[in-house]
Amino acid sequence: PALLLAALLIVPTSSQAFAAEPIRVGFMAPLTGIFSQAGREMLEGLRLAFEQAGHQAAGRKIELIEEDDEGNPAKAIAKYRKLVSQDRIHVLTGILLANIGYGLIQPIERDQLPTLLFTTPDDLTKRRPSKWIARIFFSASQPMHPLGDYAAKTLKYRAVATIAMDNPFGHEQISGFQRVFEDGGGRVIQKIWVPLNAMDFGPYLTQVKKDADAVCAVFTAGQAVRFVKQYSDQGLKGKLPLIGSGTMVEEHVLRGMGDEAMGVIGALNWSPTLPNPTNRAFVQFAEAKLGKTPSFFHAAMYSAGRWVVEGAKLTEGRVEDRERFISALRSASGSTEDPRGPIKLDDYGNTTQNIYILRIDRAGGRLQNTVIHTYPLVSQFWTYSPGEFLKSPAYSRDYPPVKP
């Protein structure tokens, strides 16, 4: 009996065993190369959340393991294997680029790895959903559906020309705008596609039809800065109002813009100017830590970090139970107050959330995204039922088509 008692005293309980091991969080994004600024800001946002939580959850230390996928799908697969096999992560976060996101679906499902993805391709949470994946950001077309509605019903535009980056993000964003804009009585009269490596927009801007009421554009990062400036330099700013993706003028790129951005209207799921208390606290905390106004990359990954912390609490630290942990991560989206406003995951793993119509103004000598309208709790399927929506062809470069 004495030996048995001694043995019982030195064998850890399951909760003690959990506490001894950290919760290992894998993060992957491009930290070098042309997309590195976005990747670094995603990482900064995740770190902010863990720092705020004291780098622990449910009595367990949080260990963040960072990998640079360099924007290269082959490198991403190799880094993923390391995170799973060598580092034995409990949850994967990050992933910026669409082609990398699609390439990881099969190994994530094989490994049954709870995953919080940033990347935006529509079909990751429409036609190709996975029980192991929750999207922390939005599906590409999601914020552009409300912009189409706003352009038709509030701005009263009837004919819009579009110009966008020639990749799936550009295709899906423009398609989402077009479908709802045309539902509202408008018509997209032209689509111009710009290669991802183009920085001279002159040849494309000269093609814009002058009988349009406005131009709807989709660009990100360096292309966005150049496009908005050249749009103004070409004399279009005063003739054709510029609307489009909120990614074109969010804080990540707005830092490199001047008066040429004034008056541009976009649609996005977050702005640092949102007046809700959680956002005010987040922006204040982020500015103190980063020395700059946070971007939507910071805000989204800060949310991801908070979901990880809350999900660990909901499982009482038992993150090794993967079924329970992914369920808890999905629940955390609705039980955690978010800087973006109310959020809940739908049955397909995508965020239903507010979409804000934003206008670039100047306040206190700085450009900012001012909220001029809020569409509450917007589904990735807009106002269509999922069944009705999924009967239509997937959004693409050619669908919906431009009608003669």
Side-chain angles (χ1 to χ4, degrees), residues 118 120 137-138 140 143-144 165 169 173 217-221 224-225 244-254 257 266-269 296-297 358 369:
F118 178 97
T120 61
F137 201 39
F138 57 66
M144 298 296 278
M165 54 206 301
F169 182 72
Q173 285 231 306
V218 176
F219 293 101
T220 63
V225 176
S245 175
T247 64
M248 187 170 63
V249 283
E250 63 81 37
E251 278 56 34
H252 173 68
V253 290
L254 196 58
M257 294 181 177
L268 205 57
N269 61 343
F296 77 136
F297 295 108
L358 307 169
N369 276 283

Side-chain angles (χ1 to χ4, degrees), residues 153-198:
K153 295 179 181 176
T154 301
L155 299 176
K156 305 293 186 184
Y157 297 149
R158 286 295 168 263
V160 167
T162 70
I163 180 168
M165 54 206 301
D166 194 1
N167 73 340
F169 182 72
H171 305 157
E172 290 174 354
Q173 285 231 306
I174 289 297
S175 296
F177 170 83
Q178 180 182 358
R179 180 170 182 175
V180 177
F181 180 60
E182 294 185 343
D183 279 355
R187 187 165 70 91
V188 166
I189 60 173
Q190 179 183 30
K191 291 183 185 179
I192 300 169
W193 302 111
V194 180
L196 293 181
N197 60 355

Side-chain angles (χ1 to χ4, degrees), residues 109-393:
E109 292 191 326
R110 177 196 66 215
D111 299 326
Q112 299 185 348
L113 180 65
T115 301
L116 296 177
L117 285 187
F118 178 97
T119 191
T120 61
D122 270 23
D123 273 357
L124 275 175
T125 54
K126 285 193 173 83
R127 293 166 181 84
R128 298 172 65 182
S130 167
K131 67 173 283 185
W132 298 103
I133 292 174
R135 192 187 334 246
I136 56 170
F137 201 39
F138 57 66
S139 62
S141 62
Q142 190 173 0
M144 298 296 278
H145 288 144
L147 184 65
D149 185 79
Y150 190 81
K153 295 179 181 176
T154 301
L155 299 176
K156 305 293 186 184
Y157 297 149
R158 286 295 168 263
V160 167
T162 70
I163 180 168
M165 54 206 301
D166 194 1
N167 73 340
F169 182 72
H171 305 157
E172 290 174 354
Q173 285 231 306
I174 289 297
S175 296
F177 170 83
Q178 180 182 358
R179 180 170 182 175
V180 177
F181 180 60
E182 294 185 343
D183 279 355
R187 187 165 70 91
V188 166
I189 60 173
Q190 179 183 30
K191 291 183 185 179
I192 300 169
W193 302 111
V194 180
L196 293 181
N197 60 355
M199 287 297 180
D200 177 8
F201 295 92
Y204 306 98
L205 290 171
T206 56
Q207 298 175 38
V208 173
K209 292 185 175 181
K210 302 304 185 284
D211 57 344
D213 297 324
V215 170
C216 178
V218 176
F219 293 101
T220 63
Q223 272 197 318
V225 176
R226 295 281 190 93
F227 173 78
V228 173
K229 185 170 191 330
Q230 290 177 35
Y231 191 87
S232 177
D233 290 346
Q234 293 269 348
L236 291 171
K237 187 175 190 294
K239 298 173 184 175
L240 292 174
L242 182 59
I243 64 174
S245 175
T247 64
M248 187 170 63
V249 283
E250 63 81 37
E251 278 56 34
H252 173 68
V253 290
L254 196 58
R255 299 177 197 129
M257 294 181 177
D259 286 346
E260 68 272 12
M262 290 283 288
V264 174
I265 289 176
L268 205 57
N269 61 343
W270 178 80
S271 166
T273 63
L274 292 180
N276 72 69
T278 305
N279 190 55
R280 284 177 175 159
F282 162 67
V283 172
Q284 185 177 16
F285 175 62
E287 285 182 337
K289 293 292 181 181
L290 303 172
K292 61 187 176 185
T293 302
S295 71
F296 77 136
F297 295 108
H298 290 115
M301 290 306 297
Y302 172 78
S303 294
R306 284 163 61 91
W307 293 9
V308 169
V309 171
E310 180 65 17
K313 290 177 182 176
L314 291 172
T315 63
E316 300 169 322
R318 288 170 165 75
V319 297
E320 284 78 5
D321 184 340
R322 296 184 174 193
E323 292 262 4
R324 189 177 174 194
F325 191 32
I326 187 61
S327 177
L329 289 171
R330 288 173 174 246
S331 297
S333 66
S335 60
T336 306
E337 290 198 4
D338 197 284
R340 295 171 287 179
I343 286 179
K344 60 181 180 180
L345 283 189
D346 64 19
D347 293 339
Y348 296 77
N350 193 71
T351 45
T352 297
Q353 60 192 309
N354 290 356
I355 298 297
Y356 305 99
I357 305 299
L358 307 169
R359 184 184 62 228
I360 301 301
D361 296 325
R362 194 176 286 281
R366 294 197 308 178
L367 295 175
Q368 70 171 28
N369 276 283
T370 302
V371 178
I372 58 175
H373 189 77
T374 300
Y375 284 86
L377 289 175
V378 174
S379 161
Q380 65 173 331
F381 298 104
W382 184 232
T383 56
Y384 315 105
S385 70
E388 177 190 0
F389 189 98
L390 294 173
K391 286 177 185 174
S392 301

